């Protein structure tokens, strides 16, 4: 897919008891780069001594060998971030450090606290002063309000008050704490590397540092990693397994497994289902790089229409290069993608995309293919129609932005000027992970947590 300026998922990484912790965090974050390209940071240390480095840019731009060498200690946590339009303010870049009761806490966070404003207002009324608009600072204030010395006790009291989707890694007292919200909306996996434990948003980061996958952090679980191993506790009685479907459809790297299901295999199966549901007579099947390629392979296999590479992505254009000017942003698709004329000219194409959010990216891509001489374009979307906002960190937060919330399929087909446009059904989506329950709130409007305040705000913008 091509970036469009919405907020993406963040990525978190942590490693405990490793002689080269900061370097490992660097490699781990590098593998998680697809989850956020705006800013990144690593905090490393032990025995109460910590160093941190963070800044805007890609992982390899922010961290040089010299900087990594200064990040000493056997414990490290790191974060890659994508912020909403408006840029990254340095005080919002993670990890986030805070001190209380003579302890230094480091915190990295992925997701979204739905009741952030209510909790913040409450804290401010009781004297807290906020320096950032980050969810992490909220946690810091909530923990500092607590009277307990034991981080697990404090964490339990704080986490139970949070509504939303989150995966945290917290570093304190030479220990790491890894936490997932009670519905398991955001992924977080644990691995082992010799005597060290590793925690990461995706298993691709475990692979990158040579760690062996042990298990996922469970919904509502607090995993404590300490010098004698790991121990587990739960902060919520009510727990469900409801990973965000968009993790499989779009966010995760194809080599990552979540809940035992591989993202590439999920996407390939979704392509097969799409072919069964919406067949079409065509010459070639092609996907939009990168996140739609697996689904396109599945569609081609099932339909027996040859798979072709019709679009080439320039992988060397960083997000920050595209970000500064509106003119460049508008041309982002042309800078990032090129059509192979010899492949598409005169052909009837099945064009697979993983999802339609605002609807603008596909307009540019279909035009690119039409200009390259495509004879017919049949668009097939490997997900159901996104008709509802998401409040859990994907930042599709209002109806107005979502083209399928207010446009018919036929109108969008005509806007693209393509021969046909079809989406995968919810039934087919469910068949892609038959043994797992996923959050499908953005397709159905049926949310998992109490999101009334946000819903009312979003409806007002309709
Ligand atoms: P658009 O319809 O122009 O908003 O762009 C849709 C493309 O963005 C799809 O091809 C997806 O790969 C990708 N996408 C899906 N969800 C998101 C999201 N929350 N943030 C950024 N990109 C997304």
């Amino acid at each position: 897919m091509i970036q469009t300026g919405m907020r993406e998922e963040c990525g978190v990484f942590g490693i405990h008891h490793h002689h080269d912790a900061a370097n490992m965090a660097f490699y781990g974050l590098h593998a998680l780069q697809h989850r956020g390209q705006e800013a990144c940071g690593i905090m490393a240390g032990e025995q109460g001594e910590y160093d941190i480095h963070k800044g805007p840019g890609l992982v390899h731009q922010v961290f040089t060998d010299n900087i990594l060498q200064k990040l000493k200690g056997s414990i490290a946590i790191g974060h890659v971030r994508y912020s909403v339009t408006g840029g990254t303010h340095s005080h919002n870049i993670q990890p986030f450090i805070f001190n209380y009761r003579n302890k230094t806490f480091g915190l990295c966070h992925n997701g979204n606290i739905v009741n952030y404003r209510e909790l913040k207002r409450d804290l401010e009324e009781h004297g807290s002063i906020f320096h950032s608009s980050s969810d992490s600072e909220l946690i810091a204030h909530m923990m500092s309000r607590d009277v307990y010395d034991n981080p697990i006790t404090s964490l339990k009291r704080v986490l139970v008050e949070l509504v939303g989707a989150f995966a945290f890694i917290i570093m304190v007292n030479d220990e790491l704490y890894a936490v997932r919200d009670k519905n398991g909306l955001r992924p977080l996996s644990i691995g082992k590397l010799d005597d060290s434990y590793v925690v990461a948003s995706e298993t691709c980061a475990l692979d990158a540092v040579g760690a062996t996958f042990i298990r996922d952090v469970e919904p509502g679980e607090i995993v404590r990693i300490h010098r004698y191993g790991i121990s587990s506790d739960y902060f919520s009685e009510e727990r469900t397994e409801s990973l965000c479907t968009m993790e499989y459809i779009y966010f995760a790297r194809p080599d990552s497994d979540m809940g035992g299901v591989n993202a590439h295999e999920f996407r390939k199966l979704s392509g097969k289902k799409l072919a069964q549901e919406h067949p079409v007579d065509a010459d070639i099947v092609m996907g939009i790089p990168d996140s739609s390629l697996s689904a396109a392979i599945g569609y081609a296999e099932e339909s027996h229409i040859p798979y072709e590479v019709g679009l080439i992505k320039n992988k060397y254009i960083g997000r920050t290069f595209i970000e500064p000017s509106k003119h460049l942003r508008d041309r982002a698709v042309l800078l990032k993608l090129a059509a192979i004329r010899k492949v598409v000219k005169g052909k009837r194409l099945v064009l697979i995309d993983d999802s339609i959010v605002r609807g603008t990216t596909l307009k540019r891509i279909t035009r690119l293919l039409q200009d390259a001489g495509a004879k017919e374009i049949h668009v097939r979307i490997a997900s159901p129609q996104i008709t509802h906002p998401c409040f859990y960190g994907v930042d599709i937060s209002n109806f107005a932005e979502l083209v399928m919330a207010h446009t018919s399929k036929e109108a969008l087909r005509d806007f693209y000027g393509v021969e046909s446009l079809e989406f995968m059904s919810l039934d087919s989506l469910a068949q892609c992970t038959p043994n797992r329950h996923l959050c499908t709130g953005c397709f159905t409007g049926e949310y998992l947590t109490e999101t009334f305040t946000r819903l009312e705000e979003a409806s007002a913008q309709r």
Side-chain angles (χ1 to χ4, degrees):
M1 88 104 225
I2 296 301
Q3 299 293 344
T4 55
M6 286 166 294
R7 176 166 153 177
E8 239 186 296
E9 293 301 280
C10 297
V12 293
F13 182 90
I15 183 158
H16 187 268
H17 191 60
H18 194 280
H19 63 278
D20 208 5
N23 261 310
M24 292 293 120
F26 171 83
Y27 292 125
L29 292 183
H30 198 257
L32 296 173
Q33 188 79 81
H34 59 287
R35 295 183 75 87
Q37 298 100 50
E38 197 72 22
C40 56
I42 296 175
M43 172 183 177
E46 62 187 22
Q47 297 184 343
E49 299 284 319
Y50 298 102
D51 280 309
I52 185 162
H53 182 79
K54 50 189 185 175
L58 299 172
V59 176
H60 75 268
Q61 294 168 325
V62 173
F63 292 96
T64 59
D65 280 350
N66 272 348
I67 288 168
L68 285 168
Q69 270 168 25
K70 286 182 195 148
L71 296 173
K72 300 202 186 321
S74 63
I75 310 169
I77 57 173
H79 188 260
V80 286
R81 169 185 166 85
Y82 182 69
S83 74
V84 210
T85 317
T88 292
H89 297 294
S90 55
H91 48 250
N92 280 334
I93 303 177
Q94 302 185 33
F96 199 79
I97 291 193
F98 58 101
N99 295 294
Y100 93 101
R101 291 179 185 271
N102 297 325
K103 295 190 193 88
T104 305
F105 281 69
L107 193 149
C108 295
H109 162 240
N110 165 216
N112 197 25
I113 310 296
V114 174
N115 59 341
Y116 172 81
R117 275 189 233 172
E118 293 78 37
L119 293 170
K120 185 176 174 206
R121 199 181 320 120
D122 189 46
L123 285 161
E124 282 174 336
E125 276 166 14
H126 289 89
S128 297
I129 297 167
F130 280 76
H131 299 284
S132 74
S133 53
S134 139
D135 291 348
S136 315
E137 193 183 356
L138 178 84
I139 313 294
H141 281 289
M142 287 173 79
M143 288 194 65
S144 65
R145 196 185 54 170
D146 211 287
V147 293
Y148 294 97
D149 263 345
N150 177 346
I152 286 268
T153 319
S154 299
L155 268 174
K156 277 187 177 176
R157 303 239 318 180
V158 168
L159 294 168
V160 82
E161 284 189 59
L162 305 181
V163 176
F166 50 83
F168 289 112
I169 304 180
I170 297 174
M171 174 172 167
V172 64
N173 286 352
D174 284 2
E175 295 180 345
L176 286 185
Y177 295 84
V179 175
R180 258 175 107 194
D181 68 78
K182 64 178 184 179
N183 297 305
L185 282 151
R186 302 270 74 93
L188 193 61
S189 302
I190 313 172
K192 188 106 199 278
L193 174 60
D194 303 323
D195 293 336
S196 316
Y197 281 96
V198 183
V199 195
S201 292
E202 289 184 35
T203 59
C204 66
L206 304 182
D207 293 335
V209 298
T212 309
F213 171 79
I214 301 179
R215 67 174 177 91
D216 292 325
V217 176
E218 287 176 31
E221 188 184 17
I222 305 174
V223 173
R224 176 173 157 243
I225 305 176
H226 47 90
R227 56 189 297 206
Y228 303 111
I230 61 174
S231 55
S232 162
D233 219 317
Y234 293 89
F235 64 87
S236 174
E237 296 287 305
E238 305 157 26
R239 300 190 293 272
T240 69
E241 179 67 64
S242 303
L243 185 76
C244 161
T245 312
M246 288 306 286
E247 291 285 350
Y248 286 118
I249 291 173
Y250 159 69
F251 287 123
R253 224 170 76 163
D255 51 333
S256 288
D257 298 344
M258 291 160 292
V261 178
N262 171 254
H264 165 73
E265 280 184 2
F266 175 99
R267 290 172 194 168
K268 211 171 147 190
L269 185 57
S270 73
K272 289 187 179 209
K273 299 276 168 211
L274 195 56
Q276 289 161 6
E277 235 182 331
H278 299 295
V280 62
D281 204 12
D283 302 313
I284 55 172
V285 177
M286 49 187 273
I288 300 174
D290 288 320
S291 52
S292 311
L293 299 182
S294 306
I297 292 169
Y299 193 104
E301 256 182 45
E302 184 67 19
S303 62
H304 301 291
I305 300 171
Y307 173 79
E308 257 294 8
V309 178
L311 288 165
I312 295 295
K313 182 174 170 183
N314 185 334
K315 296 191 164 69
Y316 306 100
I317 296 178
R319 209 196 144 76
T320 35
F321 172 71
I322 298 167
E323 201 60 36
S325 94
K326 182 170 182 319
H327 170 69
L328 273 183
R329 224 172 20 241
D330 287 344
R331 289 186 54 80
V333 166
L334 296 182
L335 290 172
K336 276 203 164 186
L337 274 189
I340 305 185
R341 271 197 198 80
K342 286 249 168 21
V343 171
V344 302
K345 192 162 187 244
K347 299 277 180 29
R348 296 170 301 161
L349 316 178
V350 183
L351 177 66
I352 310 289
D353 201 359
D354 56 87
S355 56
I356 291 184
V357 184
R358 295 178 183 177
T360 48
T361 312
L362 208 45
K363 173 72 189 164
R364 297 178 187 133
I365 293 172
T366 49
R367 197 188 303 145
L368 188 68
L369 293 168
Q370 283 151 352
D371 290 349
K375 187 172 158 205
E376 286 177 20
I377 302 179
H378 301 273
V379 177
R380 296 291 179 270
I381 306 297
S383 61
Q385 302 183 22
I386 298 179
T387 48
H388 290 76
C390 172
F391 306 104
Y392 302 136
V394 180
D395 209 43
I396 315 169
S397 56
N398 67 59
F399 285 100
E401 269 183 357
L402 297 173
V403 69
M404 294 320 291
H406 49 74
T407 312
S408 71
K409 204 171 62 178
E410 292 69 29
L412 194 63
R413 179 200 60 204
D414 294 347
F415 170 64
Y416 291 151
V418 295
E419 277 58 35
S420 67
L421 166 67
E422 298 293 349
F423 292 79
M424 189 164 82
S425 67
L426 272 164
D427 275 355
S428 291
L429 178 69
Q431 288 166 31
C432 293
T433 51
N435 303 318
R436 300 208 67 210
H437 179 261
L438 303 178
C439 175
T440 50
C442 60
F443 308 123
T444 60
E446 288 161 25
Y447 301 110
L448 294 163
T449 50
E450 316 89 90
T451 57
F452 303 115
T453 322
R454 294 284 167 103
L455 260 178
E456 277 165 16
E457 285 168 8
S459 304
Q461 296 173 40
R462 252 182 148 165

